[in-house]
Every structure is written in structure tokens, then in C-alpha cells.
Amino acid sequence: MAYTSPAVVIDNGSQTTRAGFASEDFPSLVYSSNYSVDSNNKVVIGDDEIDKHPENEIMTLLDNGLVYNWDNVIHNWQYAYDNLDSSSPIDPKEYPLMLTEPSWNTKKNKLISTQMAFETLEVPIFSLVKTPLAQLFHQSKATGLIVDIGSAITSITPILDGIIQTKAAMHSKYAGDFASLHSLNYLSQKVPSLDHLLPKPFISDLSNLKATASFKNFQITNKVVEEFRYSMLQVSELPATASHFSAPAKSFYLPYGENVQVQQEQFSLLEPLFQPSAFQLPNLSIPAPAFDKPATQGLTHIILSSLKALEASIIPQAVLENTANTSANSSHHARFNDILRELLSNILITGGTSLTPGLTQRVLHDLYKSVNQFFPNYLCTQPGRLVLNVLGNNQTNGNDVWDKKFGSWIGACNLASMLNSSNQENDNGASIALDNWYITKSEYEELGEDLILEKFK
């Protein structure tokens, strides 16, 4: 059966939440995933409301890309229902709900989110869709290498024929927030105190401002530091140490009027994304990169590590260790050669931080230089034969910005909209959507945990 009401799609990111109806082209709501709590334990959601209460503590919902604060995530979802229809509340009981989830989401989280959807919001049907699958689906592809560089997490996800290769999926915390820490460290050296980085209108009454430390940090990071990052910084095409960068100086004006000159820092402040341990931070221990610990590696190396793990998961270890050119070995290597060629020609670089100027070009440059060293035995990686192609990387297309920021939400909407098919052909699509991605309330009540873990595995 087809549903007449469009699904509500909520995409919880570490920095922002995107929400809207599946019938829309873009999310109608983009608001902070953080929230504040007042002295009476009232939860405050929404950027404007958070700004009105500097005396409140700022809290987070996600850690390592996963929801951990289940007591208050319901307020985040309810905020969407209260504001989706031009700030007029809608009834969750009347609309299907689809949430996104990272590929490393836990079974416990899947169970809790499903329980809250059916028992607290009382939605009629519910779905969890994996973020990288939604992003790739939006590109109309079934196979690809998803490089998602968000605020808190960078994740690498190989997908073959619509199936996430879990053993090769990797993620690290070297993402946008890590770059912001380096930017904040640099800016803090230019001002008498961190209060001088507070954005307007707070600086006009700074002496009387009774703001919590978490509120000040939230405002500085999400407004001043973010503006600095996106307006002043870019990624160098070639890796280098900080002393090798050279560029014409730019001026950045801080809220108090200080003029900060930014020269080699235009490049060096983003180099930690690629060489984390080479750029240390005060009061933060950054481990040396280790091949067997992908989360310690910079962006390019974690991509290569993901592909190396995929090779190990597809080709038997005995074949990898035996370099003799037997027919069995040739067959295994020929198969992975085709897989590697297809992944490298379908790279999707996405996430808000991926909009940084020069980042895509740097990734491609590094891969072109390094992939043959990691995979010397494959025809597709040989000099003159290597083809790297980035999906949706049309720099003249303004939609590319929205695709990178909202790609997972838009892809999830494409899946959710199948529920609203109206003709007989598309009605089959609605059945497919129900069979593969959704659980109805009656199914949940009858089959419970086993169905959840099977449907959302």
C-alpha cells in the first residue's frame, strides 16, 4: 500500500540536525544538535533559543558519531515535529519517520531509537537508514567509496552493489572539529583572552555577561572559529611542513576589532587533517599514526587503509601471502582489480568539511601518488592506467554545496518517498520500501527485538 502522508526524515549530525518532509527538495529545518539546560532542568532546543540563555550549560547528543544522550534526544526530534510545518506542530502519529544512522551504530542504539519512535512518538511506521547508503543512493549509484568528512567524524565506507563492506569501513575523529581546535589555538594567541572571541551581540555587554564556560565555547567555536575556517583557510595540493607554506596575507577581523593577519596559516591550519601527529596541540595528546590503528591516521592514509582492509576481506590470506602467479591467485586478483577500479572511479567526497577549498584536489593528488605503493599488483593502479573520479564534483554546479551538506538527508528522502507511490508500478516500490527499510507499529508489537535487528542490520 502507498501512504498519503509524506515521511518525516531526521538526520542527526554531531553539529547540526537536518529535518524535513520526504516530499521536499531540501530540509526545511537545520538546527544545532546541541541543546542547553536551565536551572529547572528544562531542555532548550534551537539556535535562537540557545542564544537567549547564556546562563545555561550547553550539552551534546552525539559522541563518536553515535547518539549517547537518550534522555534528551527525544527533545531534538520533537523540535522537528513542532516546527516542520511553518512552525505549526504536526502529529507524529500521522507521519512515517525515517532516521539516519552511521554504519557503526550499535544494536543497543537501534533498539532504543525504534522503541522511542513507536512508544514515545507513536509513529505509524519507522525506518533507520545508514548514512553512507543514503549518500550513495542520492548519486544514483550502487557501488562507491564514501569519504564523509563531517564536523566530529571522518568516515570511509566502501559499498559494493548496495552492501556496506563493514570490515573495511573505518572512521576517525580527525574532522572539522579537529581543524577548529587548531584554528582556535591560533586565534587565542592573538587576543588578550578568549572572551575577545565571543561574537556579537555578547561583546556589547561582556562585563555583565553571566555566561557559562560551555556557552562561551559554543558561541566562539560555532560562530567565530567556523567563519574563520571557511573564509580564511584552504588545503594545499602538496603535503608540506608548516615552514614550507607561502601565500599572500589575508585579514580576519575579530568581534572586538582586532585585525588578524593570516599568511602561511591559510594552509598549515588544515594540514593536521592529513598529518595529525605532525601538528600538536597544547593539553591534547595526539598519537603517532599506526598502520594497525586506522583511527590514528590522516585522511588519505585512512582511505588507503580502508581499501587495504577490503582487499584482505575479499582475497584469502594465503593468496595475499603467495606471490606466485598461479591461476587461482590470478582469479582472485582479477576480481579485486575490478572492485578497486570501480571504487576508485566512484569516490564520493561529502560532508560539510569537504567543502573546504582544495580538499578534494588534495585527496585525489595523494591517492594518485600513493595507491600504486599500497596496491602494486593490480592493473588498475599502474601508472597511466589509474583513473580517479569524484562523484558530484561539478564545481560549477551550485547544488554540489547542498549535496555535500545535506546528501544523507536528501538520499534518505529519496528512499522514504517510495512510500508515497501512487500508480501500480510505483506501488511495488512502496512494498519494496516497507519490506526492506521500514517496520510498521503492528510488526514492532508482534515481533519486537528480533525484527528490529534483522531489518536494520
Side-chain angles (χ1 to χ4, degrees):
M1 62 172 291
Y3 283 78
T4 57
S5 298
V8 170
V9 178
I10 301 177
D11 179 25
N12 284 125
S14 296
Q15 185 179 61
T16 62
T17 293
R18 285 74 65 177
F21 292 112
S23 56
E24 298 173 330
D25 293 330
F26 298 105
S28 55
L29 292 176
V30 180
Y31 54 97
S32 177
S33 294
N34 293 340
Y35 63 96
S36 69
V37 180
D38 65 17
S39 57
N40 296 317
N41 290 323
K42 179 185 177 183
V43 173
V44 178
I45 304 288
D47 302 79
D48 292 340
E49 290 302 312
I50 289 174
D51 288 352
K52 294 176 184 177
H53 301 282
E55 73 282 359
N56 290 355
E57 293 288 348
I58 304 295
M59 307 290 188
T60 60
L61 286 176
L62 283 74
D63 181 45
N64 195 35
L66 302 178
V67 174
Y68 76 95
N69 195 327
W70 290 105
D71 290 337
N72 289 318
V73 71
I74 192 64
H75 297 287
N76 177 281
W77 299 344
Q78 188 62 56
Y79 180 87
Y81 284 101
D82 290 342
N83 293 276
L84 275 179
D85 188 14
S86 301
S87 298
S88 298
I90 62 173
D91 187 351
K93 298 177 184 178
E94 298 177 0
Y95 298 87
L97 172 62
M98 176 177 279
L99 300 177
T100 60
E101 62 169 350
S103 59
W104 61 95
N105 199 17
T106 65
K107 292 180 180 180
K108 179 182 177 181
N109 278 13
K110 295 174 190 287
L111 294 172
I112 295 174
S113 57
T114 305
Q115 179 184 14
M116 292 178 66
F118 284 123
E119 298 183 13
T120 305
L121 294 174
E122 300 185 73
V123 301
I125 61 175
F126 173 69
S127 177
L128 280 172
V129 61
K130 290 179 173 56
T131 296
L133 278 176
Q135 291 165 329
L136 189 61
F137 189 84
H138 176 51
Q139 298 294 327
S140 302
K141 296 284 186 176
T143 294
L145 181 64
I146 314 303
V147 180
D148 186 355
I149 314 164
S151 175
I153 298 292
T154 288
S155 64
I156 315 299
T157 313
I159 299 177
L160 302 178
D161 296 324
I163 299 174
I164 290 177
Q165 304 303 298
T166 306
K167 293 182 179 179
M170 300 177 176
H171 63 279
S172 80
K173 293 187 177 182
Y174 298 134
D177 290 348
F178 184 66
S180 290
L181 285 176
H182 284 274
S183 297
L184 178 59
N185 180 56
Y186 171 72
L187 292 175
S188 67
Q189 299 170 22
K190 306 295 181 180
V191 293
S193 72
L194 286 179
D195 282 352
H196 280 245
L197 297 178
L198 277 170
K200 296 178 179 178
F202 307 112
I203 60 173
S204 61
D205 191 27
L206 187 60
S207 60
N208 297 321
L209 182 61
K210 304 297 183 182
T212 62
S214 61
F215 178 87
K216 290 181 179 181
N217 183 65
F218 175 79
Q219 296 294 339
I220 290 170
T221 301
N222 288 277
K223 295 182 180 176
V224 176
V225 175
E226 286 289 302
E227 180 186 351
F228 174 80
R229 269 183 51 206
Y230 286 111
S231 64
M232 294 286 111
L233 306 186
Q234 58 185 306
V235 174
S236 169
E237 182 178 355
L238 298 173
T241 60
S243 60
H244 292 162
F245 292 110
S246 178
K250 294 181 180 179
S251 295
F252 183 75
Y253 290 91
L254 296 173
Y256 258 83
E258 291 95 343
N259 180 7
V260 176
Q261 292 293 307
V262 187
Q263 196 162 4
Q264 72 269 18
E265 294 84 9
Q266 295 172 46
F267 297 103
S268 64
L269 288 174
L270 290 178
E271 192 65 17
L273 293 176
F274 297 86
Q275 306 177 69
S277 63
F279 298 82
Q280 294 291 320
L281 285 166
N283 304 317
L284 181 64
S285 176
I286 302 174
F291 184 79
D292 60 341
K293 296 179 179 178
T296 65
Q297 301 169 13
L299 179 54
T300 306
H301 278 85
I302 196 174
I303 296 173
L304 293 167
S305 293
S306 172
L307 294 173
K308 202 68 180 174
L310 181 63
E311 179 190 36
S313 71
I314 290 177
I315 301 180
Q317 189 63 32
V319 174
L320 287 174
E321 294 173 352
N322 183 4
T323 58
N325 189 23
T326 66
S327 58
N329 288 2
S330 298
S331 174
H332 284 295
H333 282 86
R335 180 189 175 211
F336 187 72
N337 180 78
D338 292 340
I339 291 172
L340 190 58
R341 175 182 52 79
E342 190 167 9
L343 289 177
L344 292 176
S345 60
N346 289 281
I347 303 172
L348 177 59
I349 301 179
T350 188
T353 303
S354 71
L355 289 166
T356 304
L359 188 144
T360 294
Q361 291 76 11
R362 170 64 175 277
V363 170
L364 294 179
H365 178 273
D366 285 358
L367 288 177
Y368 198 87
K369 278 187 56 179
S370 305
V371 73
N372 179 250
Q373 300 171 24
F374 276 70
F375 303 97
N377 301 319
Y378 298 98
L379 186 63
C380 71
T381 63
Q382 299 305 306
R385 293 182 178 270
L386 178 61
V387 176
L388 300 175
N389 180 58
V390 179
L391 299 175
N393 192 39
N394 183 358
Q395 297 298 329
T396 63
N397 181 4
N399 285 338
D400 188 54
V401 174
W402 306 118
D403 286 350
K404 289 181 182 296
K405 282 188 172 184
F406 307 137
S408 57
W409 184 89
I410 298 172
C413 284
N414 294 339
L415 292 170
S417 62
M418 294 176 69
L419 288 171
N420 302 117
S421 305
S422 57
N423 58 47
Q424 184 174 358
E425 178 182 351
N426 286 339
D427 193 54
N428 291 331
S431 297
I432 292 172
L434 280 170
D435 290 342
N436 290 279
W437 300 305
Y438 277 96
I439 293 176
T440 66
K441 190 169 186 178
S442 59
E443 288 175 330
Y444 167 75
E445 292 171 345
E446 179 182 356
L447 301 173
E449 180 176 321
D450 291 339
L451 177 63
I452 295 168
L453 297 180
E454 174 62 26
K455 188 69 70 84
F456 302 146
K457 62 184 177 182

